[in-house]
Amino acid sequence: MIEHLYSTPLYYAKVNDYESINYHIDKSIDLVKFKEGYGGSTWKITTNFTVDKEPTILKDLRLNKLIKQIDNHLKIYCSEINFDLRNGYKLHSWIAKCEPGDYVHVHQHASSDLSGVYYYKTNEKDGDIYFESPNPYLEVSKCYEARPWNHPPQVGKIIIFPGWLRHGVTHNKTDHTRISVGFNIYFNQ
């Protein structure tokens, strides 16, 4: 018998009614201002994402349908990992933009319980999100691969993963700008 210890649950799905969600984002995206991303990356992030202010772009733009979809998919994720959501959670959100040539360095959202992304605009070739193994010793193993795990972007796709999981975005080698909504989940006590 084999038991898998310390697995890393990554969830992805297509959200319902993403055309309507994207229509509402289309109507308000011109109100959003961007600044350079953190840590030497070349991507852009909404300006309300600062250390001393909670990033709440979904609430600020009243994107309630997307908030509802995040909630629905979060419930599925938590059900699969047997986590009780009864105490609720706090949602932080921002919009990220990767223009041609941009990338996002490897990082983690260690202070959050879960993190996620929703793809609003993509040509599906403008930069994959990738995840690194949380086990630093896999590189010395001959029977397990330590390579990053890539997930290509797709309009309407949502991905949810542990906040401690190291991830980044590959270089955008197209002439298309990819825009996504990032979010962190903080569970109440």
Side-chain angles (χ1 to χ4, degrees):
M1 169 184 262
I2 291 181
E3 243 183 273
H4 293 275
L5 298 177
Y6 310 117
S7 67
T8 305
L10 183 136
Y11 171 88
Y12 64 96
K14 196 87 158 202
V15 302
N16 293 331
D17 201 19
Y18 70 87
E19 295 95 347
S20 176
I21 291 168
N22 288 357
Y23 171 78
H24 285 90
I25 296 173
D26 285 340
K27 287 176 40 178
S28 52
I29 194 73
D30 291 336
L31 304 172
V32 175
K33 295 191 181 351
F34 292 91
K35 66 178 180 179
E36 291 292 319
Y38 299 103
S41 294
T42 56
W43 59 291
K44 316 302 180 287
I45 191 166
T46 46
T47 57
N48 78 333
F49 187 70
T50 61
V51 174
D52 58 343
K53 184 178 178 186
E54 294 178 355
T56 56
I57 199 70
L58 291 176
K59 191 169 97 178
D60 297 347
L61 297 178
R62 296 182 180 93
L63 297 171
N64 297 327
K65 286 185 177 185
L66 182 51
I67 292 170
K68 176 88 170 133
Q69 284 298 311
I70 290 170
D71 184 70
N72 290 344
H73 289 276
L74 178 62
K75 286 176 181 169
I76 295 168
Y77 181 97
C78 288
S79 172
E80 289 292 321
I81 65 169
N82 295 316
F83 181 78
D84 187 351
L85 264 176
R86 202 172 332 176
N87 291 331
Y89 61 90
K90 188 185 315 184
L91 173 67
H92 289 181
S93 58
W94 59 92
I95 296 176
K97 179 166 63 169
C98 283
E99 296 172 332
D102 285 355
Y103 68 96
V104 179
H105 69 289
V106 175
H107 65 285
Q108 60 191 11
H109 303 235
S111 65
S112 68
D113 293 300
L114 298 174
S115 292
V117 63
Y118 169 77
Y119 292 104
Y120 158 62
K121 291 260 190 214
T122 178
N123 66 6
E124 301 185 12
K125 295 176 177 70
D126 45 17
D128 290 358
I129 188 170
Y130 63 93
F131 300 92
E132 291 188 341
S133 169
N135 183 343
Y137 302 105
L138 278 183
E139 292 178 9
V140 299
S141 174
K142 291 184 179 50
C143 60
Y144 298 105
E145 287 190 57
R147 67 175 174 78
W149 191 266
N150 286 35
H151 256 273
Q154 184 180 36
V155 173
K157 182 180 186 178
I158 188 171
I159 302 176
I160 300 173
F161 52 92
W164 49 258
L165 186 59
R166 293 176 53 78
H167 60 284
V169 178
T170 60
H171 275 87
N172 180 353
K173 296 179 180 177
T174 73
D175 60 359
H176 185 265
T177 297
R178 182 176 50 75
I179 301 176
S180 59
V181 177
F183 56 91
N184 284 336
I185 303 293
Y186 300 86
F187 294 120
N188 297 333
Q189 295 288 338

